[in-house]
Amino acid sequence: MTRLASLEQVPAELRPSYDPAEHGTGIVHLGLGAFHKAHQASLTDLALSASGGDWRILGVSLRSPKASEELAPQNGLYTLIEKGAGGTVARVIGSVSGAICSAGNPGPALDAMAAETTKIVSLTVTEKAYGLDRATHGCDPSHPAVAADLASPDAPQGVLGLLVAALKRRRAAGLAPFTVLCCDNLPENGVLLKGAVADFARRLDPELAEWIAAEGAFPSTMVDRITPAATAATLAEAAALTGAEDLAAIETESFCQWVIEDDFPLGRPDWAAAGAIFTDDVAAFEAMKLRMLNGTHSMLAYAGFHAGLPYVRDVMDDPSLSQLVRRHLAAAAATLPEIPGIDTAEYGAALARRFENKAIAHETFQIAMDGSEKMPQRIFAALAEARAKDVDIRPFAFATAAWARHVSGSTHDCAAYELRDPRAAELSAMVSGKDAAGIAEALREAGFVPAAAAADDGFWAETATILEAMLARPMAEVIAEEAGRG
Ligand code: CS2
């Protein structure tokens, strides 16, 4: 079977309705992973079909060349397989014009970002890659990539270093800054990233920082599409559908949502034609998604993984844990401000159906990754609002205990695993040799726990009690007992 490299190889019904060669590149995307291919690149493909424009995407992988090595020989083409209640739909995406890796060689990525034709630089690099200081809304100079790039700003490897080096070149060339579009699961992601970029620039060149602060557009976004890592089965399915070997194929759910603040001074693709929602109040949508979808995801991932449930769909087949999923969804919903036109009960019911999707093999262990970066906006922010609104905090204590159980590395009722977290070493040292109360006390003091959550004695006492049971007895038993509380 020949490798996918041209649309002529694939059945006509799988091809885009436009000719990719007729559209120039207007977007550079940092973080060429599964999520980008399933979300922004797919919506851009639909926008190009609907309204055209020079909006194809140069994808940049920042760390490993794997994604660019899969896509570049295929001229950016790949199969997107969408699976939902209505069955499976596939198409070949034409919106990616090229793929490169910036690790060890940032020149081509910087040239592309600095080019006048580039109007938008978008990002899906995961929460941990930014080097944000969420408390000050600046950058964290002790973050490894931030520290390295502050020391060698002309050979940047990290996100902030690349953005600032490219913006510096644009300013020197008399060009307007590109719009920076953060598509990671962070609250007010545009505001956070703008603060971090300006702070990073200020440490090198205060005038550049002022220019970025005054002229830069950093719209906030809420992104949503459940996308597991591709497997051999994904690639085999793509080959069967297209008749070509496709090493970059990806599968995802049929649901897709993108809520974007409309602040694109240099223009943008017609993403609204592809179903994106433009609004002035992304923050409310973001809080809803982070606390309901992602918060519940984190809870079910820690509890499910330790109860021997490898996939989210298995969790939903477990009567007790799926009950706790619904409990968490309802508690998270109760912490939210009202969003005009949105019924959070309906949204929660739709989320439960998405988690039940039998066609999607979403690993609990994958979601359990990077808890120190995820817990603050998913669980601790909800806790603070729960206290303010007199909502039962038990679901948040249960989620935190399940995370603490995972951090403890204790494997009395599950196989040994590696703690995948940027702070893994620090967390393991903090909890080592401690009992449940000691672990809860130690985690409470971790720098990434927001002050309001850290100060909540009752919450940590409740967390310690649940953790004690989780450390002493099989997770499945603790889950059943928790569900029995009603
Ligand atoms: C998940 C998200 O891995 C995780 O932490 O919660 O990747 C989730 O699947 C997406 O945000 C869905 O849009």
Side-chain angles (χ1 to χ4, degrees):
M1 194 177 272
T2 32
R3 183 92 178 259
L4 177 63
S6 129
L7 286 171
E8 270 134 47
Q9 290 167 270
V10 305
E13 66 274 15
L14 298 188
R15 297 179 201 159
S17 65
Y18 61 94
D19 176 2
E22 283 177 8
H23 299 273
T25 300
I27 302 174
V28 174
H29 183 77
L30 307 183
L32 181 57
F35 183 76
H36 172 71
K37 289 195 285 178
H39 191 265
Q40 184 185 334
S42 160
L43 291 173
T44 305
D45 181 74
L46 296 174
L48 287 168
S49 281
S51 312
D54 288 331
W55 292 116
R56 292 180 79 213
I57 304 167
L58 173 70
V60 181
S61 19
L62 298 189
R63 280 148 45 104
S64 143
K66 186 173 175 289
S68 52
E69 282 171 5
E70 285 163 358
L71 264 179
Q74 300 186 182
N75 295 317
L77 299 173
Y78 63 95
T79 315
L80 177 70
I81 306 170
E82 299 172 333
K83 297 181 169 188
T88 295
V89 181
R91 62 186 216 277
V92 172
I93 302 294
S95 58
V96 178
S97 57
I100 58 177
C101 177
S102 65
N105 179 26
L110 289 174
D111 289 346
M113 292 159 83
E116 188 170 9
T117 43
T118 295
K119 314 292 184 199
I120 297 170
V121 172
S122 54
L123 306 98
T124 47
V125 293
T126 79
E127 301 90 332
K128 62 175 174 280
Y130 288 96
L132 302 170
D133 182 332
R134 296 193 211 174
T136 63
H137 276 205
C139 70
D140 171 7
S142 70
H143 181 277
V146 174
D149 288 353
L150 282 172
S152 339
D154 295 329
Q157 292 297 306
V159 176
L160 300 181
L162 284 164
L163 288 172
V164 170
L167 286 166
K168 182 177 172 185
R169 279 174 53 174
R170 288 181 81 101
R171 180 167 179 253
L175 295 174
F178 42 70
T179 300
V180 182
L181 184 62
C182 177
C183 298
D184 277 292
N185 285 318
L186 287 158
E188 297 193 80
N189 51 13
V191 178
L192 275 182
L193 185 52
K194 183 171 188 175
V197 166
D199 183 20
F200 183 98
R202 194 169 301 120
R203 291 162 193 266
L204 298 166
D205 177 347
E207 280 179 16
L208 176 64
E210 261 170 49
W211 180 75
I212 294 170
E215 313 264 321
F218 291 71
S220 284
T221 62
M222 181 269 249
V223 294
D224 190 8
R225 190 164 224 189
I226 292 174
T227 307
T231 64
T234 317
L235 307 192
E237 195 171 349
L241 287 162
T242 59
E245 184 188 32
D246 178 358
L247 300 187
I250 195 77
E251 64 184 272
T252 188
E253 62 175 341
S254 42
F255 181 90
C256 184
Q257 193 173 36
W258 200 6
V259 184
I260 316 173
E261 192 184 342
D262 203 356
D263 182 14
F264 293 84
L266 304 184
R268 59 165 170 83
D270 187 5
W271 284 316
I277 299 167
F278 286 90
T279 168
D280 294 338
D281 190 12
V282 176
F285 283 92
E286 187 74 56
M288 175 178 81
K289 193 246 168 181
L290 284 169
R291 292 185 204 170
M292 291 184 68
L293 189 160
N294 298 112
T296 307
H297 246 178
S298 289
M299 182 282 288
L300 73 82
Y302 297 119
F305 176 72
H306 287 271
L309 302 169
Y311 299 113
V312 176
R313 62 189 182 200
D314 305 328
V315 164
M316 299 309 284
D317 271 345
D318 179 287
S320 299
L321 191 48
S322 68
Q323 187 182 321
L324 296 184
V325 163
R326 290 183 168 82
R327 177 182 81 165
H328 196 101
L329 286 168
T335 70
L336 295 166
E338 219 170 284
I339 311 179
I342 297 282
D343 176 344
T344 50
E346 254 172 44
Y347 179 71
L351 289 178
R353 284 194 296 277
R354 290 169 62 197
F355 295 164
E356 281 161 5
N357 189 343
K358 290 269 179 286
I360 295 289
H362 199 192
E363 284 190 302
T364 48
F365 189 59
Q366 181 186 334
I367 302 168
M369 189 166 79
D370 296 348
S372 68
E373 293 281 338
K374 294 175 177 174
M375 291 294 287
Q377 60 275 19
R378 295 180 179 202
I379 303 294
F380 300 134
L383 165 70
E385 290 292 323
R387 283 299 194 200
K389 297 189 162 159
D390 215 13
V391 172
D392 183 12
I393 59 139
R394 180 82 182 182
F396 307 110
F398 184 84
T400 305
W403 165 64
R405 163 77 166 82
H406 191 67
V407 169
S408 78
S410 154
T411 54
H412 69 272
D413 65 338
C414 74
Y417 59 91
E418 182 202 348
L419 179 62
R420 294 190 299 175
D421 191 292
R423 295 187 173 83
E426 180 191 331
L427 286 168
S428 300
M430 281 166 73
V431 303
S432 156
K434 298 202 165 93
D435 63 3
I439 292 174
E441 269 312 301
L443 292 178
R444 165 183 193 174
E445 318 253 292
F448 55 84
V449 175
D456 191 330
D457 293 335
F459 170 75
W460 290 99
E462 194 145 357
T463 299
T465 311
I466 304 170
L467 179 60
E468 195 175 347
M470 287 178 180
L471 292 175
R473 306 207 329 264
M475 185 61 116
E477 245 178 71
V478 181
I479 289 170
E481 198 173 281
E482 186 71 15
R485 290 169 59 100

